[in-house]
Amino acid sequence: MDEGNSEEAAFFELMNEYQLEVKDEIRNQISALETNLINGSEKSASALVRVEKYRDARRDMDKKIDTQYQRKLAEALDNHLTAIQRDHELKSQIEEKKIKNDAAYEEARRKEKALYEEKLRQEKAKAEAEAKLREEAERAAALEAERKAKEAADKLAAEASERVARAVAQQEAVGLHTDGSLANSSSQSEKIQSNKTKKSESAGDVVKAAKSALIVEQGRLQKFKEIDEKNREIHINFVQDFSSNERHVARLIRQIRGTKDNVRSKASELVKIFSNPACPQSISIAAFARKVVSHCESPDNAAFACAHVIVMVTSKMPHVMDVLLAEFHMACIFTVPKYIVYSKTAFESKEAYYKALGFQEDNGKIENVKDYLKRLESYMRLYGALVQTEPPGFQNAHGLKEGWAWLARFLNTLPANVYTAVALNAFLQMAGFGLFRRYRRQFQKILNVISEDYLGALKARGDSELKPIIAEIQSYIEDKKFLKEPEGRAMQDSLLSSVMVPESDHGYNQSNRYY
């Protein structure tokens, strides 16, 4: 029993020692955990304190930045308002200066007009005085002549008895001489009349055109001549330079593009220029006609858009159309339509004949046929675009009716050659669609005449250079291209890139067509 008790006692002691060690270890771990918790709490508290300090510092910094931003914003606003006020003051000064300049200009113009009127009045008074003096001088001369005639008659009556026989003899001699002179004079008169008749017949053979077309052309050229003479008188009598007005017209025409807003705005600006009292209307009209026709040669010429502007302008000012058409006729005889045949008796040289056709001369050298045909096509494209242009709300004074008349006169009077072929092709390309929509079967009959008679006459010439243009006209008729609206005919709502930068060929290369 003592051994058993001693073992149990030893085991018990071992168990107590183990439990004490476990408790000490647990106590140590708890103490370490408490220490760690205390340290973590202190660190957390320290971190929170640092965060609070950073937040306070950040808040102070934000306040400073916000204050600086508000200050800069206030300064910028103040500068902006100051700039606006300065601009308003500058504009006010400019307006005041403009008003003063306008007033000075009006005053100067009024004085100039008064001087001109006074000059005219003085010239009129001087002319009347001179006419009165001439009339008095003529009356005095007539009275003197009458007195001398009476004296001569009295003298002859006194000597009548002595000179009867001699007077009879002289009268007979004079009669015979007069008969001979009359015979010679009659012969010369007949010769002159014959030469005039020959020249007239030669001129009739040289100019190929319908009589009605020539009459209309003459009327338009007469109106153009009247405006031109009026402008010359203005330039002589007025010292003012109107070149800036002409440059403005040219700039507006160059800026024409194929959009509704563009053509509407350009037409409106041109009408304002015509109505501007600072420049005589005849000056502006002549500049408009000249610049429109010369713009045909420009590579960026938008024919349909330009035609819209022409119709919009002339619908408000119809008399401008005749001046413009006269300018067309002088630049391109095929817009009449008219053709001139070469004749040695009618022209001093070939150069004179080419000039009559419309060839341009540069440094004494006539341009080549290729350049002439390119210009001819440009003129006819714009003319063809003009006759079929009918903007909504505007009246075309030279519309499809005139285009139909042009086509009939062309086929009835003009010969078939490369010049007329180029003119006809350009006209059909631009106006064919509109003519077909208006005249339908009649237009198709005209196309049949062109296909059978005109193209037949071209082919009969046997010229290989005519083949491209013959093929193009034939393709236009056979493929019924007149059913398709030409590109650019309808004005667009907005400016597209294709309008801003048009393609160089528009489906074909103009520089390598049939020239």
Side-chain angles (χ1 to χ4, degrees), residues 214-231:
L214 293 176
I215 293 172
V216 173
E217 179 198 21
Q218 188 61 34
R220 291 167 181 161
L221 292 177
Q222 181 61 33
K223 292 180 181 178
F224 180 88
K225 182 180 178 182
E226 291 172 0
I227 280 193
D228 187 56
E229 291 176 352
K230 184 177 181 181
N231 290 341

Side-chain angles (χ1 to χ4, degrees), residues 353-462:
Y353 168 66
Y354 288 137
K355 289 180 183 179
L357 278 182
F359 279 72
Q360 291 182 351
E361 184 179 6
D362 187 16
N363 295 327
K365 186 178 180 181
I366 299 293
E367 69 178 330
N368 57 45
V369 176
K370 177 181 177 181
D371 293 338
Y372 172 72
L373 290 177
K374 287 175 70 175
R375 286 194 305 106
L376 164 60
E377 182 185 23
S378 299
Y379 293 135
M380 290 306 305
R381 284 178 66 83
L382 180 54
Y383 181 77
L386 173 62
V387 300
Q388 59 84 66
T389 297
E390 296 177 343
F394 295 90
Q395 183 67 35
N396 188 350
H398 195 78
L400 287 170
K401 182 181 178 182
E402 299 296 332
W404 183 260
W406 182 93
L407 193 55
R409 291 165 178 167
F410 180 95
L411 295 174
N412 286 334
T413 56
L414 269 60
N417 56 35
V418 66
Y419 305 116
T420 59
V422 171
L424 177 62
N425 181 56
F427 181 82
L428 289 177
Q429 295 288 343
M430 304 301 284
F433 178 76
L435 289 171
F436 173 74
R437 291 179 64 183
R438 172 69 63 85
Y439 297 102
R440 296 287 178 179
R441 291 184 179 179
Q442 288 82 354
F443 180 68
Q444 288 182 310
K445 290 179 181 179
I446 287 285
L447 292 180
N448 291 335
V449 171
I450 294 173
S451 179
E452 295 174 4
D453 298 341
Y454 183 81
L455 292 183
L458 281 180
K459 294 174 183 177
R461 296 177 69 91

Side-chain angles (χ1 to χ4, degrees), residues 286-398:
F288 173 73
R290 185 168 60 255
K291 299 302 180 182
V292 165
V293 174
S294 63
H295 186 58
C296 290
E297 303 174 24
S298 176
D300 63 343
N301 170 34
F304 286 110
C306 193
H308 271 73
V309 173
I310 292 171
V311 173
M312 290 178 178
V313 170
T314 55
S315 65
K316 295 184 180 298
M317 310 184 76
H319 58 286
V320 178
M321 181 63 83
D322 285 331
V323 180
L324 175 64
L325 291 172
E327 191 76 46
F328 260 122
H329 297 338
M330 290 186 290
C332 177
I333 61 174
F334 298 95
T335 58
V336 176
K338 180 173 69 175
Y339 183 72
I340 300 175
V341 181
Y342 176 70
S343 171
K344 290 184 178 180
T345 58
F347 298 99
E348 297 177 356
S349 63
K350 278 281 189 177
E351 287 76 11
Y353 168 66
Y354 288 137
K355 289 180 183 179
L357 278 182
F359 279 72
Q360 291 182 351
E361 184 179 6
D362 187 16
N363 295 327
K365 186 178 180 181
I366 299 293
E367 69 178 330
N368 57 45
V369 176
K370 177 181 177 181
D371 293 338
Y372 172 72
L373 290 177
K374 287 175 70 175
R375 286 194 305 106
L376 164 60
E377 182 185 23
S378 299
Y379 293 135
M380 290 306 305
R381 284 178 66 83
L382 180 54
Y383 181 77
L386 173 62
V387 300
Q388 59 84 66
T389 297
E390 296 177 343
F394 295 90
Q395 183 67 35
N396 188 350
H398 195 78

